Amino acid sequence: MKNLISLSLHVAYVLLVLQCLGCSDKLPSTIAQSPAPNYGTKTLTTQGEVVGFYMPNGTAAWRGIRYAQPPLNDRRWRSPIPPTAWPEPVMALNHAPRCPQLATRLDHGVEVGMPIGQEDCLFLDVYAPSDISNGDKVPVMIWIHGGSNVWGGADQYDGSKLAANQKVIVVVPQYRLGPLGWFAHPTIQGKTTGAIAANFALLDQQLALKWVVDNISAFGGDPDNITLFGESAGAFNVFSLLSMPGSEKYVRKAILQSGAPSTHSLDEAIHGEHGSVAALAKLGSNHELSANNLRELPVQALLNVFSNNDKINVVSQIADGVTLSSDGVIGNIAQNYGTVPLSLIIGANRDETKFYTAFNDKFVWRLLGKLPIIRDSDFYEALSEYTNNYWYQAAVLQTAQQLNDADIKTYLYRFDWDNQPDFLGIEISKLIGAAHTLEVPFIFDSFDNFLEPMGSMFFSEENEQSRNLLKSEMQSLWGSFAYSTSGSPEGSQWQPHSTKEPFILQLDADQKLQVGRLNYKYPSFTEQIHELRTDHRVPSEEKKCIIYEEMRTLHSMIQQNKQFSSKCPFISED
């Protein structure tokens, strides 16, 4: 009887997971109750008092603190400005609504593709350890979240465990996303309106940084010791923030997880495939595209014209000449920090691209129409190997070389943990492995609610020991870097990277920690093309060209290798 009940529960769980992997059906939602305010957390900011609460682990938390005036109506597509003062204490107990976006499969209780969030969204969360002594000032870590710059919010990241374990203050700001955060159009950036920025998301993040500088000492933080850290789009944004004038006054350390320095031209943002002209043309010829009309356009209509197949497409990191120049991100970082020290941690995950290929029907078929099964295991592994080698070489190693040339101290890592259990006979370690974003729960100690319900496929009792070992090590490395006055992860074997002495720290664990110098030489792009020509796992020209095209897609994100031809080199000439 017990076995029958266990089997029934297992089947029910499997069906739930399968449902959430591939459908847009509405799922039951839960409404979290507001925590009770604790007036012992009452803190005075430049705008007024805020009251927070204590998390179960004793960390003090303030959620939903406004750092900018609402970017509504005439303030849409303008630089954010500080909020006005509030006369009464604000109960900072709940995450603020996300910035406008389209729901994904990871947003429970909402149909995929439905608009969620609100424009009045420029808030941040603060997490502080409870054992800060009076007068002490602990390091501050500001997390810039990922999500392709079109999705996500502060509610996805609980900084309480990182704050408590490393005795740091963690700040998680929200910023405008999609066409509200990244927008260029002649009526907005035109001669009649004057030259203004197109990267409003970056301006939001910059104002959040300024808010931290002005207020964090009241929470026990050190405004002179701030570390920016971000993942995916968040890391792209951190690179851009460092290149913007003024960042050198406040930031001397940054951690960039699975990102790269990149800019796109203003012309692409306006006239390109995903530019504003093509998107706004969907409104129809009867819609006058004046600045006032665009600012009055309902959010849902704006999201709709910039979306395709329930996904928003925008050009971000726009070289608008105001926030970002066309001179290159690294060059501007070098100029900003010419007389000021800057230390960086840069890295990526070994199997970054499996996050995308595992759910791409070109490479997998669906069990019961939902659960992805690899079509061709040899080709799947070859695809992963070539695309991930290209990503690391272009996004990490080439970037590190440019930073070394600018005398900026850089530490490199590669995240390799892939101890996922098998699921219904499927080797999740091969399907997903050390994929994109998988390192995030190791930093935040958030295994319990990571990408649910899929997270339960990744983390189990069987791999609890290995992930906890690696979690503690990674938190310690990130925390010691935040504490360091020399810009080094103190107390570790991690050495700065240099072209003459390459050093990549491998982050992995099984029954024991496997953290040490990575013994692997990444092939150049030319070497990869040569290897692919004779790779027995990819016998056909067609499949070789598929791999080449996937590498070219990565190039469009990174834009490091300017010689990447659109013509597949494996097609035989007639």
Side-chain angles (χ1 to χ4, degrees):
M1 184 66 177
K2 182 186 292 185
N3 291 337
L4 181 59
I5 293 174
S6 177
L7 178 61
S8 299
L9 290 173
H10 180 70
V11 170
Y13 171 73
V14 168
L15 291 175
L16 174 62
V17 171
L18 294 181
Q19 181 184 11
C20 295
L21 280 173
C23 71
S24 60
D25 293 342
K26 293 185 178 180
L27 298 176
S29 62
T30 57
I31 300 175
Q33 289 185 334
S34 296
N38 188 301
Y39 284 85
T41 66
K42 187 163 67 173
T43 304
L44 180 63
T45 73
T46 52
Q47 281 75 39
E49 292 180 322
V50 292
V51 176
F53 63 100
Y54 286 106
M55 301 286 289
N57 68 346
T59 302
W62 299 261
R63 288 174 170 168
I65 301 176
R66 184 183 293 279
Y67 71 85
Q69 289 188 25
L72 305 173
N73 305 317
D74 188 58
R75 295 227 57 81
R76 179 187 284 183
W77 298 315
R78 295 193 189 278
S79 299
I81 56 177
T84 56
W86 46 80
E88 300 295 330
V90 168
M91 299 295 110
L93 307 176
N94 296 304
H95 299 292
R98 294 187 194 177
C99 293
Q101 57 195 268
L102 297 183
T104 73
R105 293 169 182 161
L106 300 176
D107 294 308
H108 296 181
V110 186
E111 186 176 350
V112 171
M114 289 294 293
I116 58 175
Q118 64 182 42
E119 275 195 87
D120 184 9
C121 62
L122 300 184
F123 298 81
L124 53 77
D125 298 345
V126 178
Y127 300 90
S130 58
D131 55 348
I132 300 178
S133 301
N134 290 335
D136 282 359
K137 300 298 179 187
V138 302
V140 182
M141 302 183 74
I142 303 177
W143 174 254
I144 308 298
H145 73 77
S148 300
N149 277 317
V150 300
W151 179 77
D155 62 300
Q156 298 170 305
Y157 303 96
D158 177 355
S160 64
K161 293 180 181 178
L162 177 60
N165 294 345
Q166 298 305 311
K167 198 174 180 179
V168 296
I169 287 182
V170 178
V171 181
V172 186
Q174 297 193 148
Y175 54 92
R176 283 174 279 185
L177 302 168
L180 293 167
W182 314 89
F183 187 80
H185 191 270
T187 60
I188 301 297
Q189 287 86 5
K191 293 181 180 179
T192 59
T193 58
I196 63 172
N199 301 305
F200 305 99
L202 294 179
L203 291 171
D204 294 343
Q205 294 162 39
Q206 194 175 56
L207 184 62
L209 170 61
K210 183 64 166 58
W211 184 95
V212 170
V213 171
D214 292 341
N215 291 284
I216 208 64
S217 60
F219 297 84
D222 184 354
D224 296 320
N225 188 1
I226 293 174
T227 299
L228 290 176
F229 68 136
E231 183 265 344
S232 191
F236 278 84
N237 295 344
V238 171
F239 270 117
S240 294
L241 284 169
L242 294 173
S243 77
M244 293 167 63
S247 294
E248 71 278 4
K249 299 177 184 177
Y250 311 123
V251 179
R252 305 293 170 84
K253 291 171 289 188
I255 303 171
L256 304 110
Q257 303 166 208
S258 304
S262 177
T263 58
H264 299 269
S265 71
L266 193 61
D267 183 70
E268 180 185 354
I270 297 174
H271 301 291
E273 178 184 0
H274 299 306
S276 61
V277 170
L280 294 175
K282 299 177 186 178
L283 292 172
S285 58
N286 294 329
H287 194 97
E288 182 187 353
L289 298 181
S290 67
N292 287 340
N293 283 353
L294 288 177
R295 287 193 166 100
E296 293 174 358
L297 192 67
V299 171
Q300 183 168 346
L302 187 65
L303 297 183
N304 285 343
V305 298
F306 276 90
S307 67
N308 182 37
N309 294 325
D310 297 328
K311 180 182 178 182
I312 295 175
N313 296 297
V314 293
V315 178
S316 63
Q317 319 301 336
I318 305 165
D320 56 12
V322 181
T323 53
L324 298 177
S325 78
S326 57
D327 296 335
V329 170
I330 298 297
N332 286 316
I333 292 175
Q335 182 176 349
N336 291 346
Y337 288 88
T339 59
V340 178
L342 174 67
S343 295
L344 305 176
I345 291 176
I346 302 176
N349 298 356
R350 187 194 62 208
D351 306 319
E352 288 279 348
T353 60
K354 286 186 176 180
F355 184 84
Y356 307 100
T357 56
F359 304 100
N360 188 327
D361 290 344
K362 289 194 299 184
F363 312 119
V364 299
W365 62 275
R366 304 278 180 162
L367 177 64
L368 301 179
K370 308 297 181 185
L371 188 65
I373 310 293
I374 297 171
R375 291 181 181 274
D376 180 339
S377 59
D378 283 345
F379 175 68
Y380 191 82
E381 284 305 310
L383 174 67
S384 175
E385 179 183 316
Y386 286 104
T387 53
N388 284 297
N389 279 347
Y390 176 75
W391 174 271
Y392 204 95
Q393 178 67 251
V396 180
L397 292 175
Q398 289 185 29
T399 299
Q401 181 175 341
Q402 293 173 332
L403 291 165
N404 285 163
D405 292 343
D407 294 324
I408 294 174
K409 186 160 55 174
T410 307
Y411 295 85
L412 305 186
Y413 76 86
R414 192 181 80 179
F415 177 85
D416 282 14
W417 188 90
D418 63 353
N419 294 340
Q420 297 98 335
D422 291 353
F423 185 79
L424 294 181
I426 300 168
E427 293 182 86
I428 301 299
S429 61
K430 288 189 176 181
L431 177 69
I432 299 292
H436 184 69
T437 204
L438 199 68
E439 88 286 1
V440 172
F442 288 79
I443 302 300
F444 284 92
D445 191 1
S446 56
F447 301 111
D448 292 341
N449 57 4
F450 176 72
L451 296 181
E452 279 302 323
M454 289 187 294
S456 300
M457 297 167 59
F458 304 152
F459 308 124
S460 65
E461 291 184 7
E462 289 82 358
N463 60 36
E464 183 176 8
Q465 178 180 346
S466 70
R467 55 186 163 89
N468 282 338
L469 283 170
L470 187 56
K471 169 208 70 178
S472 297
E473 180 69 10
M474 291 179 67
Q475 283 195 340
S476 178
L477 289 169
W478 267 229
S480 68
F481 184 70
Y483 263 92
S484 173
T485 56
S486 63
S488 304
E490 297 174 350
S492 76
Q493 58 181 306
W494 208 346
Q495 299 298 317
H497 179 80
S498 72
T499 305
K500 293 182 179 179
E501 291 291 334
F503 193 105
I504 301 172
L505 188 70
Q506 182 182 27
L507 298 171
D508 200 0
D510 197 346
Q511 298 305 310
K512 295 182 179 180
L513 271 175
Q514 298 173 20
V515 175
R517 189 170 190 166
L518 179 67
N519 185 24
Y520 181 76
K521 183 180 183 298
Y522 275 92
S524 67
F525 173 70
T526 302
E527 289 170 336
Q528 285 200 80
I529 296 300
H530 178 74
E531 291 173 9
L532 184 53
R533 287 187 186 279
T534 58
D535 195 326
H536 70 276
R537 297 171 300 177
V538 194
S540 72
E541 290 180 354
E542 179 186 3
K543 287 194 171 183
K544 292 181 193 295
C545 287
I546 290 174
I547 290 178
Y548 182 82
E549 187 59 31
E550 291 298 316
M551 294 168 70
R552 213 165 72 85
T553 299
L554 291 175
H555 161 68
S556 69
M557 296 170 57
I558 306 168
Q559 293 193 320
Q560 294 278 33
N561 185 343
K562 301 298 182 183
Q563 304 303 315
F564 214 132
S565 172
S566 60
K567 180 181 178 181
C568 176
F570 305 110
I571 298 177
S572 300
E573 298 291 342
D574 293 332

